Amino acid sequence: MARAGTMQWRSAHELRELFLTYFEGLGARRYRSFPLVPDDPTLLFTVAGMVPFKPYFLGLRAPEVARAVTAQKCIRTNDIENVGRTARHHTFFEMLGNFSFGDYFKKEVIPWAWKFLTEHIGFDEDRLYATIYLDDDEAHDFWRDLVGLPEDRIKRLGDDDNFWAAGPTGPCGPCSEIIYDQGPEFSCGRPDCGVGCDCDRYLEIWNLVFMQYSRDESGTLTPLPKKNIDTGLGIERLASVVQRVKGDFETDLFWPIITKACDISGVKYGDAENSDLAVRVISDHLRASAFMIADGVLPSNDGPGYVLRRLIRRSVRYGRLIGIDRPFLASLLPVVNEIMSDPYVELKEHGSAINQIISLEEERFGHTLSQGIELLENELNKLKSRSSAILSGEVAFLLYDTYGFPLELTEEISSEAGVEVVKEEFVREMERQRERARSSSKHSSAVMAKNIYTELADRLGATLFDGYEATSSDNSVIAAIIRGGQVVDSISSGDEAQIVLSRTPFYAERGGQVGDTGVISVGDAVFDVRDTIYLSGELIAHIGELAGGDIAVGMNVSAVVDAERRDAIRRHHTATHMLHEALCRVLGSHVRQAGSMVGPNFLRFDFNHFAPLQAEQILEAETMIYSQVLANLPVNTRVMSYAESRKSGVKALFEEKYGEVVRVLEIPGFSTELCGGTHVRATGDIGVVKIIKDESIGSGVRRINAIAGMASLDLFQSTTSALRSVSEILGVEADQFAAKIEELLEDKRALERRNQELSLRSVLDGIDSRVRNAVRVDGIALISDSFGAASRDLLRKIGDRIKQIEPLSVMLLAGVDDDGVTLIGMASDEAVKRGVHAGNLIKETSGLMGGSGGGKPAMGQGGSKNSSALKDILAKAEGIVRNQLEVAVKK
């Protein structure tokens, strides 16, 4: 029996490997960590080790193995505000887990867990407790009889503690937690401190979940097809005990990052709780941010990208609180890599992208952070002076919309001042600004639940795709037909349906490549395929309409892909990979794909980069691609294990999720990437690749639209035709276009200057009399008048002329055209000294017209789409100016 003192110090890396090896020895397959963003519409992130296996627990898919073990990357965002305030809260963490899919259950897992902790880690048995669900007598007996745990160290707890679920719906079940007594020095000191207390003395180490049920939206529990095991052991928590430190942040997973952050800021850990909190938050959020970006998440205003943006901005803010007023997060990344890149090689593979994206986001937020905090602090001071503890949602929205403050950041800063934000007002302002786009998907199985598609996938298995080489097949059998959401035996002419074949040459949409079109036929029956998709798992469906005849399940059919369209798609898909490589070489190794769409007429490629492409960069990338096209290099594909592909340095695309076996696309000497799409046989098949558009689609993310093959020829021909027409109009050859157009533009500018001079002269001829007859407000001449279609620039010149004539003057000048009213306000220096504010004059008059405007005391500008109220508004200028002067006198 193990006793105190037998547990030796181990690194987190050693503990991770020890766990994985232990369960491999018990027959489990080791899986590499699955991505942080799961294939699960009910979850934003992978929140636990069991998430990737939910389809197995729910019976939606048959498991590949009966036993599995993982060290899973996880993100939880429900308690971000507590990160750093406690020893245990994190956004990113690793969950060690062992899983049984209808194989072993309580009787096996309880002794195995005990043996791992006591014999392999060296926990003192006398410090270990177990909690069980209230009525779980079976688990109780196993702990007592198989492990030998005394009755007084087996505790029964209720739903909040010992019934586990991954979310409001889905797999769930009773659980048994293994608790470790860290000793009285970790106690809260209360007389009733014991197992179940929130303090750190009785620390939950490992949760053994007995996954027996599925909970639906009504809360009803339904027994799962098989009894399963799902366990979760947080490596951060385990390391804190094994390394004998006070909390997770003092383990080797965090401490080097904290030390580096302290060096950068000049603070000393342990001197002040505020600075300790700041560096803990930074260390946690930076780890989470690096792993999220490595898994393809990019900063955005919704979804996982919003969480990433929020974490980076919280890190920047906490950096400011400890005196770091410059970009600093990227300088901490090498420390994160040193700690975590073994086994998580994606941190190094995407290191350049992680660095660039974090640096760009930090720099952009840093520009507005000071202004936003100043505005918020001013508002909070005003509230304090009025003894108010409520901040309006309108202010919170202004901070969000103008300064990029997430609502949660405003709430956090306000909370520190004892002020509450009216969240409902913020939400209302957000809705007024825009209607959020509702994403839709043509993939039918968008809910993690059993349905006809998952049942078909279970019954039929994967569809055999044999379209890499062929575009037709004469030996396909109709395996299933779905019409109107129901499985049917047959369809007739005019019916729209989804047809599942036993094998198909049709490529189903995946990896950015659109699905194939074509026909499925038998006899006189012809089914027009409009699209091809994955229904569930690897089950492929052909969507379309039966143009004539009848088709039934079991028929042998001919399946023919639209070969011309497929060839066009192939060209664009291979061109996408070549474009990716060319951009990496031209712009830098930080470039990583962030999304793509490959069709027959064009390709769209999203990638992370911080600036628009220069013309010479576009030309360099195009030339580099075309040189590979002219070389007519072979385009090779081969199948290998994912692990083998990573060892050989094959590039994995940013947003893709890969299985254990992958296809590798290779253009010898130029590009090697993972890809399951269809491609040309040689680069010469692609033709000219032409970039037609480069644009920003988000913070640090750009999008290129490009064309290849016949689409490039069409563009070349249409452009040549247009240039010929322009040449005839201008009367010069194409190489003289620029000089000729510049000549014409200069003529145009000269005419505009002459026209403006004439307009100004015409207006100024009558200015003297307007000034002489101006209304006087306490001796100040007020010229409030409209000047036809005068431009903003012309109105300013009129104002300057008036000030020359009358040194004590204020003006409200308007120009009206088809777009509405342009307003200019100006005040002479003497008028400003007396209290006139031209900017406020414009703000008030524009507002009365339903427009907007403002400015400084001497100058303001604004306008409105509503010109009908102009006459009345000009008349109100006298009252507004008079009020300004009266207010100035009172001050």
Side-chain angles (χ1 to χ4, degrees), residues 371-383 386 388 390-411 413-414 419-430 432:
Q371 296 171 283
I373 288 179
E374 182 180 354
L375 186 151
L376 180 54
E377 288 178 345
N378 287 338
E379 291 294 328
L380 294 175
N381 288 333
K382 290 178 186 177
L383 294 175
R386 298 198 298 266
S388 174
I390 302 295
L391 181 73
S392 76
E394 286 88 348
V395 173
F397 180 75
L398 174 65
L399 287 164
Y400 168 84
D401 194 41
T402 305
Y403 299 101
F405 271 44
L407 173 62
E408 294 83 0
L409 180 56
T410 301
E411 288 180 319
I413 297 173
S414 299
V419 172
E420 181 182 356
V421 179
V422 185
K423 194 170 183 176
E424 295 78 10
E425 293 178 357
F426 175 89
V427 172
R428 187 165 60 246
E429 290 297 319
M430 180 71 82
R432 285 176 179 172

Side-chain angles (χ1 to χ4, degrees), residues 675-741:
C675 184
T678 61
H679 292 276
V680 298
R681 291 178 175 81
T683 56
D685 298 340
I686 296 172
V688 175
V689 177
K690 181 62 182 174
I691 294 173
I692 57 177
K693 190 176 185 181
D694 163 51
E695 61 183 333
S696 171
I697 59 169
S699 177
V701 184
R702 302 200 66 77
R703 170 171 292 171
I704 277 179
N705 287 306
I707 54 177
M710 295 302 296
S712 290
L713 176 62
D714 290 343
L715 177 64
F716 175 75
Q717 291 176 333
S718 62
T719 301
T720 302
S721 177
L723 289 174
R724 188 179 297 115
S725 297
V726 173
S727 177
E728 292 174 358
I729 293 170
L730 296 179
V732 295
E733 295 300 322
D735 60 354
Q736 296 176 305
F737 280 0
K740 184 64 176 181
I741 291 172

Side-chain angles (χ1 to χ4, degrees), residues 480-506:
I481 302 174
I482 304 101
R483 186 188 65 207
Q486 300 295 322
V487 177
V488 297
D489 292 328
S490 63
I491 54 174
S492 300
S493 180
D495 286 345
E496 294 192 352
Q498 298 168 322
I499 291 181
V500 178
L501 300 177
S502 59
R503 61 191 306 143
T504 182
F506 285 77

Side-chain angles (χ1 to χ4, degrees), residues 276-289:
D276 289 355
L277 169 64
V279 293
R280 288 195 294 264
V281 170
I282 291 167
S283 68
D284 172 273
H285 288 6
L286 185 65
R287 287 195 343 149
S289 299

Side-chain angles (χ1 to χ4, degrees), residues 553-570:
V553 173
M555 283 184 170
N556 287 298
V557 295
S558 171
V560 180
V561 174
D562 181 338
E564 184 177 341
R565 181 176 181 272
R566 163 76 78 83
D567 286 341
I569 293 170
R570 291 184 210 242

Side-chain angles (χ1 to χ4, degrees), residues 293-548:
I293 296 170
D295 273 7
V297 178
L298 297 170
S300 66
N301 288 329
D302 53 25
Y306 176 74
V307 175
L308 172 60
R309 175 163 283 166
R310 181 183 173 194
L311 294 181
I312 294 174
R313 290 180 173 185
R314 287 188 93 236
S315 301
V316 174
R317 181 192 170 236
Y318 275 100
R320 292 291 179 92
L321 291 178
I322 54 175
I324 308 176
D325 57 0
R326 64 191 186 281
F328 72 98
L329 293 177
S331 62
L332 296 173
L333 288 174
V335 186
V336 176
N337 286 346
E338 185 177 346
I339 299 168
M340 304 298 294
S341 61
D342 182 9
Y344 300 113
V345 295
E346 60 267 32
L347 291 176
K348 283 191 174 179
E349 291 173 346
H350 302 306
S352 180
I354 295 168
N355 188 309
Q356 185 224 345
I357 291 167
I358 286 179
S359 297
L360 180 64
E361 190 70 14
E362 179 179 16
E363 182 181 356
R364 289 183 172 177
F365 184 53
H367 290 325
T368 57
L369 180 61
S370 298
Q371 296 171 283
I373 288 179
E374 182 180 354
L375 186 151
L376 180 54
E377 288 178 345
N378 287 338
E379 291 294 328
L380 294 175
N381 288 333
K382 290 178 186 177
L383 294 175
K384 184 178 180 181
S385 67
R386 298 198 298 266
S387 300
S388 174
I390 302 295
L391 181 73
S392 76
E394 286 88 348
V395 173
F397 180 75
L398 174 65
L399 287 164
Y400 168 84
D401 194 41
T402 305
Y403 299 101
F405 271 44
L407 173 62
E408 294 83 0
L409 180 56
T410 301
E411 288 180 319
E412 191 174 323
I413 297 173
S414 299
S415 177
E416 292 169 0
V419 172
E420 181 182 356
V421 179
V422 185
K423 194 170 183 176
E424 295 78 10
E425 293 178 357
F426 175 89
V427 172
R428 187 165 60 246
E429 290 297 319
M430 180 71 82
E431 288 300 322
R432 285 176 179 172
Q433 183 199 51
R434 62 185 176 92
E435 283 292 325
R436 289 192 177 276
R438 298 291 185 261
S439 61
S440 61
S441 173
K442 59 184 174 182
H443 291 267
S444 306
S445 54
V447 178
M448 185 69 70
K450 200 79 171 177
N451 54 39
I452 64 167
Y453 304 111
T454 58
E455 289 172 356
L456 279 174
D458 284 347
R459 177 164 61 86
L460 301 175
T463 304
L464 175 62
F465 173 65
D466 51 13
Y468 283 119
E469 299 300 328
T471 55
S472 65
S473 173
D474 292 325
N475 59 346
S476 294
V477 177
I478 296 180
I481 302 174
I482 304 101
R483 186 188 65 207
Q486 300 295 322
V487 177
V488 297
D489 292 328
S490 63
I491 54 174
S492 300
S493 180
D495 286 345
E496 294 192 352
Q498 298 168 322
I499 291 181
V500 178
L501 300 177
S502 59
R503 61 191 306 143
T504 182
F506 285 77
Y507 183 87
E509 180 178 347
R510 179 175 279 184
Q513 179 175 328
V514 299
D516 279 334
T517 62
V519 295
I520 296 171
S521 62
V522 54
D524 61 352
V526 178
F527 184 82
D528 291 325
V529 179
R530 296 194 300 263
D531 199 1
T532 310
I533 66 169
Y534 283 95
L535 281 181
S536 176
E538 298 298 311
L539 187 69
I540 293 175
H542 308 78
I543 302 172
E545 180 179 350
L546 189 59

Side-chain angles (χ1 to χ4, degrees), residues 7 9-21 30 33 47-49 69-74 76 87-88 90 92-98 116-117 121 123 182 203-207 231-245 247-254 287 291 339-340 342-344:
M7 183 168 61
W9 190 98
R10 285 187 173 92
S11 68
H13 180 77
E14 291 176 299
L15 293 172
R16 184 190 300 112
E17 186 59 32
L18 198 63
F19 180 87
L20 295 171
T21 302
R30 180 194 296 209
S33 178
V47 296
V69 61
T70 63
Q72 176 60 47
K73 302 176 293 188
C74 299
R76 290 185 184 174
R88 311 292 172 196
H90 306 294
F92 172 86
F93 62 97
E94 290 178 86
M95 185 173 287
L96 304 175
N98 59 287
F116 177 75
L117 290 178
I121 301 299
F123 275 25
Q182 297 200 91
L203 188 67
E204 175 202 337
I205 297 295
W206 200 348
N207 191 9
T231 82
L233 170 60
I235 195 172
E236 294 83 3
R237 186 167 297 196
L238 178 63
S240 74
V241 175
V242 173
Q243 295 175 13
R244 297 180 176 86
V245 292
D248 298 356
F249 289 100
E250 296 182 26
T251 67
D252 63 338
L253 291 165
F254 290 93
R287 287 195 343 149
F291 273 98
I339 299 168
M340 304 298 294
D342 182 9
Y344 300 113

